[in-house]
Amino acid sequence: MTALNALNGSNALTVRVEPAAGLRVAAVTAALATLPLSYREAGRDAEVVVVSGEPGWDERVRAAARTGARGVLVKDPVPLPTAATLQAEVPDCVIVLAETWASHPLLRSAAEQFAEPIGRAHLIDARSVEPATGRSLRAVLFAQLRAVQNLGIGVVSLAIAAETPSSILGVGRSASGARIALSAARSDTSDGSLDLLLVGRAETIRLALSDSGAVRPGRAMLTSEADAHELPTAWQSPLRTSLLALHDALSTGTPTDQLREFTEAAVLLDPGAGPSAG
């Protein structure tokens, strides 16, 4: 019997991790091991299934739902042209996305505690440098967009302004009229972190988020003419946060809007990904 099974509580959900290519099973197993009262290992009939977010993850979600899963966690989902179809025909299960930056607990804290300054920002600038062997730069730009969305910022337009094999720039606008600039590049020495800067007339907010596989905590600071305020360190990974969110959603029956917001982001970056596509 594993430690995870030995320590499970009465409200623990059974969970199965799909052994798919691209899914860092060790990372998922380690995160689950820190939640013995929430999850316990099981086989095919598990209530929760963790699937890889590589291309085709929408079909993996449907397959898990067909086998009776009440909840599905998608690890590092890539933007899909078919995501809108999944949104339009949501399977009978709760879907939670564990994303590189968008699922970071610091984003939620910043969205709650810096809500008014975020709403006053007139420039939103996201920058990151991806390792040479990392994701496609369009996927990185999409991850930046999802982080911006999870700050509570409604993005109404986004277009690729420049793109080369080693860099990409996207520009757009928020619902409040703020200018949005997303940029990514490649480097052999990069750690895949995200630098997010929001500039207002009287204050600035800076967030630094590491790659989801790193152990470094993020940082969020608001600076004004009179003061500077840094949010408490969040010692929790995006994956662990997502597992807790899924457990809470299943325990309380509270629906999530992640899939809708993810689909909106996919359509912004690629208008052909809308419901009428293909």
Side-chain angles (χ1 to χ4, degrees):
M1 179 180 293
T2 67
L4 182 60
N5 281 329
L7 297 175
N8 72 81
S10 59
N11 67 336
L13 297 169
T14 55
V15 60
R16 171 171 58 86
V17 181
E18 182 185 76
L23 181 60
R24 288 181 286 188
V25 175
V28 178
T29 301
L32 287 169
T34 69
L35 299 169
L37 300 181
S38 297
Y39 292 98
R40 60 185 176 85
E41 296 170 312
R44 181 174 176 80
D45 296 329
E47 297 168 283
V48 171
V49 178
V50 180
V51 304
S52 167
E54 288 196 321
W57 61 262
D58 55 334
E59 286 305 319
R60 287 190 280 278
V61 169
R62 291 189 177 94
R66 285 195 297 268
T67 62
R70 293 177 53 210
V72 180
L73 185 137
V74 185
K75 176 76 165 62
D76 298 329
V78 298
L80 290 178
T82 52
T85 303
L86 187 63
Q87 164 64 16
E89 302 173 0
V90 180
D92 187 20
C93 66
V94 175
I95 302 170
V96 167
L97 310 177
E99 303 176 72
T100 302
W101 297 312
S103 300
H104 202 290
L106 199 61
L107 283 180
R108 174 177 292 183
S109 295
E112 293 174 350
Q113 299 192 42
F114 297 157
E116 291 186 10
I118 289 173
R120 292 193 294 264
H122 57 76
L123 171 64
I124 300 150
D125 182 24
R127 304 182 183 188
S128 56
V129 181
E130 186 75 0
T133 57
R135 298 165 292 178
S136 74
L137 293 183
R138 287 215 172 204
V140 176
L141 213 69
F142 180 81
Q144 293 177 355
L145 173 59
R146 289 289 294 128
V148 170
Q149 283 182 320
N150 276 15
L151 275 176
I153 298 170
V155 183
V156 296
S157 68
L158 184 70
I160 303 299
E163 185 173 14
T164 73
S166 59
S167 63
I168 190 170
L169 170 66
V171 296
R173 292 280 178 182
S174 74
S176 64
R179 182 183 178 187
I180 298 173
L182 312 178
S183 61
R186 289 200 183 280
S187 170
D188 289 331
T189 60
S190 170
D191 60 0
S193 60
L194 171 65
D195 185 23
L196 190 53
L197 178 68
L198 287 76
V199 181
R201 287 182 175 82
E203 64 266 311
T204 61
I205 300 171
R206 181 179 292 276
L207 295 97
L209 305 179
S210 61
D211 174 77
S212 58
V215 296
R216 284 194 321 279
R219 296 188 65 185
M221 178 175 287
L222 182 149
T223 305
S224 66
E225 293 180 355
D227 198 9
H229 175 59
E230 184 170 3
L231 293 182
T233 301
W235 296 101
Q236 188 158 271
S237 70
L239 175 57
R240 191 176 190 275
T241 300
S242 300
L243 285 165
L244 286 171
L246 179 55
H247 188 279
D248 288 346
L250 288 172
S251 299
T252 63
T254 304
T256 68
D257 289 331
Q258 284 187 317
L259 193 57
R260 176 184 58 79
E261 294 169 350
F262 187 94
T263 300
E264 290 174 356
V267 173
L268 278 169
L269 195 60
D270 178 11
S276 62

